[in-house]
Amino acid sequence: MFNNVVVKTPGKSYLNGLTTSDLGTPDYDVLLAQHEAYVKALEKCGVTVTHLPASEEFPDSTFVEDTAVLTPDFAVISNPGADSRNREIEEMEPVLKKFYDKMFYIEAPGTLDGGDVLQAEDCFYIGISDRTNEEGARQLKKILEAEGYEATIIPLKEFFHLKTGIAYVGENRMVVAGEFINHPAFDSYEKIIIGKEDEYSANMIRVNDYVIIPKGYEETKRKLTEAGYETIELDMSEVRKHDGGLSCLSLRF
Ligand code: CIR
């Protein structure tokens, strides 16, 4: 159960942010409308939304997920692996301090993006990617284990972030794509498998009674409906142009 989320309006500088995609330049007005629809969907899920203003200094800072790892009892401030994003944590730390007394920090030379961290009940999975290095993953594992959670480190082969290709939707079910479909770390879960052409839709979020999925993936929607979930579909076109997905746009706790 999530009670709170933090989101941040994308700034105009979003257009100068990082991307590996060849999907074209985002349309800022459409992006704002998509972000507003995202916030409305979260409100429908019953959470209180802390809505931060845009920060033009950090073009990618609407992707708040990368700045922290949150549990009910403590927050871990990450150390984002992209230089242009690293200081986003300076804007997020004071916000999270209002909610948490217990704070931990990933410290250099460790780097970690929250997009590389997946929680499934008491188990965490930590991806090693271009953004999260071994040292960062090791630091987070140590913090989590000391707090009573299990943590497994997963070196990524192809995906950008761990959660680019996997989501936990509750009831011991993992939504998996690509390199995670046959990954032994997820053998104990019931799997909802996403095909190659629908890979983008593996980044979805379960928020209380709903699973929010990207619009335009009928097969994915069908699989979730069949498994008993109520879905909300959102157009993510302008977010996708900068390698973002549904999970990236919020911190949920
Ligand atoms: C970046 O390259 O950092 C952003 N353009 C996209 C970040 C996406 N975040 C995420 O998957 N958690």
Side-chain angles (χ1 to χ4, degrees), residues 91-102:
E91 294 184 344
M92 190 55 73
E93 187 197 7
V95 176
L96 295 178
K97 273 194 165 151
K98 290 186 194 144
F99 292 95
Y100 288 98
D101 293 329
K102 202 173 190 178

Side-chain angles (χ1 to χ4, degrees), residues 118-125 149-152 189:
L118 173 71
Q119 183 176 5
E121 313 301 343
D122 291 339
C123 297
F124 278 85
Y125 299 91
Y149 290 95
E150 278 181 36
T152 304
Y189 296 93

Side-chain angles (χ1 to χ4, degrees), residues 49-63:
V49 179
T50 298
H51 199 149
L52 307 176
S55 161
E56 297 298 343
E57 190 184 354
F58 300 112
D60 285 292
S61 58
T62 191
F63 299 117

Side-chain angles (χ1 to χ4, degrees), residues 52-233:
L52 307 176
S55 161
E56 297 298 343
E57 190 184 354
F58 300 112
D60 285 292
S61 58
T62 191
F63 299 117
V64 288
E65 173 181 70
D66 293 318
T67 61
V69 175
L70 304 178
T71 74
D73 302 319
F74 60 91
V76 183
I77 302 294
S78 72
N79 192 22
D83 286 347
S84 66
R85 300 201 57 193
N86 189 259
R87 289 179 46 242
E88 288 175 24
I89 54 177
E90 293 173 12
E91 294 184 344
M92 190 55 73
E93 187 197 7
V95 176
L96 295 178
K97 273 194 165 151
K98 290 186 194 144
F99 292 95
Y100 288 98
D101 293 329
K102 202 173 190 178
M103 309 276 287
F104 297 96
Y105 297 84
I106 302 300
E107 311 216 3
T111 63
L112 183 112
D113 277 16
D116 280 318
V117 183
L118 173 71
Q119 183 176 5
E121 313 301 343
D122 291 339
C123 297
F124 278 85
Y125 299 91
I126 310 166
I128 295 179
S129 66
D130 284 350
R131 300 289 177 84
T132 298
N133 65 16
E134 263 184 70
E135 170 63 17
R138 201 191 51 73
Q139 285 181 26
L140 181 62
K141 180 173 159 73
K142 196 170 161 198
I143 292 165
L144 293 169
E145 287 176 346
E147 293 296 318
Y149 290 95
E150 278 181 36
T152 304
I153 293 178
I154 303 198
L156 303 191
K157 295 188 185 116
E158 282 169 17
F159 282 123
F160 171 47
H161 277 133
L162 181 88
K163 276 185 286 193
T164 309
I166 190 164
Y168 181 67
V169 290
E171 293 81 32
N172 202 46
R173 282 199 191 97
M174 280 289 180
V175 176
V176 285
E179 65 196 77
F180 301 131
I181 294 174
N182 294 312
H183 196 297
F186 306 112
D187 277 352
S188 64
Y189 296 93
E190 189 184 317
K191 291 175 185 169
I192 296 179
I193 294 173
I194 304 295
K196 183 76 188 159
E197 63 286 0
D198 293 332
E199 222 163 57
Y200 179 72
S201 66
N203 183 274
M204 59 178 73
I205 48 174
R206 166 92 189 256
V207 185
N208 302 335
D209 293 339
Y210 297 93
V211 179
I212 308 180
I213 62 173
K215 208 182 183 82
Y217 296 90
E218 289 309 313
E219 259 305 276
T220 300
K221 185 181 174 181
R222 189 188 59 73
K223 285 172 187 166
L224 283 154
T225 307
E226 214 164 69
Y229 295 101
E230 185 146 6
T231 57
I232 300 174
E233 286 177 277

